[in-house]
Amino acid sequence: MRADPRVLRLGAAVTTLVLALVLVTGSAWLLAVQAVVFAAGAAGRSPYRIFFRSAPTKTEDARPPRFAQVVGLVFAAAGLIGFIAGITPLALGATAAALLAAFLNAAFGFCLGCEMYLMIRRLLPAAKMEVPQ
């Protein structure tokens, strides 16, 4: 499966804004919406692809960005647990970590989760890290 880099970059920019709003407002509902978006991205169904009707001129392997979406989902889930349980440091820390990763991707094109995927693949080359398609 291939990924459109335009969709990935737009998703990172929107995610950056959403997570910044979560930190400013403390909205668990907004974080829950972002968690759903992370889950859709992990399934290869980013909602942001509707903004690009034309075929991309270049694509990239979808496995690293999908892994990155799973990592984002884990951090969003941890943040939600923090908000629901009233553990503010967990809620804000997990959200801030996800925000940092999204910002790096949106601003500099550096996908932290993608790099994690590639590092794990190098360390464990025989491991099957296929994301279900």
Side-chain angles (χ1 to χ4, degrees), residues 56-77:
T57 55
K58 68 178 195 173
T59 61
E60 61 186 63
D61 184 2
R63 291 174 297 178
R66 288 176 69 187
F67 179 82
Q69 292 294 297
V70 171
V71 173
L73 178 58
V74 168
F75 276 93

Side-chain angles (χ1 to χ4, degrees), residues 11-21 34 98-99 101-107:
V14 173
T15 299
T16 298
L17 293 174
V18 169
L19 293 175
L21 278 172
Q34 182 58 52
L99 171 60
F103 175 75
L104 287 172
N105 196 353

Side-chain angles (χ1 to χ4, degrees), residues 20-109:
L21 278 172
V22 170
L23 288 177
V24 169
T25 64
S27 172
W29 289 108
L30 191 54
L31 185 56
V33 170
Q34 182 58 52
V36 170
V37 172
F38 279 138
R45 304 284 181 218
S46 172
Y48 305 116
R49 62 188 175 152
I50 65 169
F51 294 106
F52 299 97
R53 299 260 183 238
S54 64
T57 55
K58 68 178 195 173
T59 61
E60 61 186 63
D61 184 2
R63 291 174 297 178
R66 288 176 69 187
F67 179 82
Q69 292 294 297
V70 171
V71 173
L73 178 58
V74 168
F75 276 93
L80 279 171
I81 290 168
F83 278 119
I84 292 167
I87 306 169
T88 304
L90 175 61
L92 299 180
T95 303
L99 171 60
L100 174 63
F103 175 75
L104 287 172
N105 196 353
F108 304 109

